[in-house]
Amino acid sequence: MYRHLDDSNIKSKGCVSVNVLVLGGSGFIGSNLCETLVQLGHHVKIMDRSMKKTDFNFTQIEFIEADFTQIEDFKPILQGIDIIYHLISTTVPATSNVNKIYDISSNVCSTIQLLDACVQTGVKKIIFLSSGGTIYGQTEVNLIPEEHPTNPICSYGIQKLTIEKYLYYYNHEYGLDYHIIRLANPYGKGQIGKNGQGVIPIFIRKIMNNEEIQIWGDGSTTRDYIYIDDATQALCMLLEYKGDCKLYNLGSGQGVSLLDIVNCISEVVNIQAKIRFMEARSIDVKSNVLDISKITKELHWEPRKKLKDGIYQMYLDIK
């Protein structure tokens, strides 16, 4: 699953090693993030409800197997931790409306317990992975800036926005430092498309197997896709960021429709896709492309992997 990442964009002279806890570190985003953190020389601890240690090539990582929603006291887990990456969400956008009470209680209430423990144990900073795809709701602009009104149309987006507000409150009330990353749609190595997440790996496998693809709507739905290495590089750069900015969009800044994705995959694998169009879903916004000018300026970061190159790399990994 892993390969050496040699990228000067995330390395800096005199990088100070810190103790990092990654909540949800065995998932797609988390495992790639942990790989990069270890390569940068940081001490990494992962907390997740299930994991296979053999999936990781790094003996330096400490594993804690625990259910985020069942922890009554986070303080023992946070002892000695400098910075937390909070990547856990118990729901996904497509299913969050089914049980809204669970969506809110398992994510928001558990995070408040975590924040209380952060204050009590002296955690220096928490970096929260929010959702650039659901926070803003329906928009009329080509590129969505962080200042755009937030009107999520699914419970998933509402709980992410609620946690963002609590982070602001804990900073104001207790001085707990934080950063919020409103992430676009990440894709890349290690993504398997389970639970209906990750249209790119799902489409690649179906097209390779000559299976029918289901598309909700007419295929014109437009999203922002970012390769996982680009995303984790930006996340790691926040460890040393000393500026005042707390909230960032993180994506490619480029809009791509579902039909564009299908056509690109078909070209890469040299197989014509079979498509069945389904009735559009109420939870899907028509277009969501993030303005990334703020994070590009503040962190001196920019996405490097082109979509076709990323799809080709995923195709090689899957094949």
Side-chain angles (χ1 to χ4, degrees), residues 178-231:
Y178 72 95
H179 292 300
I180 294 167
I181 291 291
R182 291 178 176 169
L183 185 65
N185 297 271
Y187 71 100
K189 60 185 186 294
Q191 189 180 34
I192 59 176
K194 66 179 181 179
N195 299 326
Q197 284 189 295
V199 297
I200 292 179
I202 292 173
F203 285 3
I204 290 176
R205 292 182 187 277
K206 285 186 176 293
I207 293 174
M208 288 175 61
N209 295 327
N210 205 29
E211 297 176 3
E212 184 180 79
I213 290 174
Q214 294 181 352
I215 289 182
W216 305 94
D218 61 5
S220 64
T221 299
T222 301
R223 294 291 182 268
D224 186 337
Y225 297 89
I226 180 171
Y227 194 69
I228 189 62
D229 285 354
D230 288 333

Side-chain angles (χ1 to χ4, degrees), residues 14 74 91 95 105 107 158 160 170 219 243-244 256 274 302 307:
F74 282 95
T91 59
T95 61
S105 62
N107 289 294
I158 294 172
K160 289 289 189 183
Y170 273 78
D244 296 328
V256 183
K274 299 177 180 178
E302 61 181 13
L307 180 67

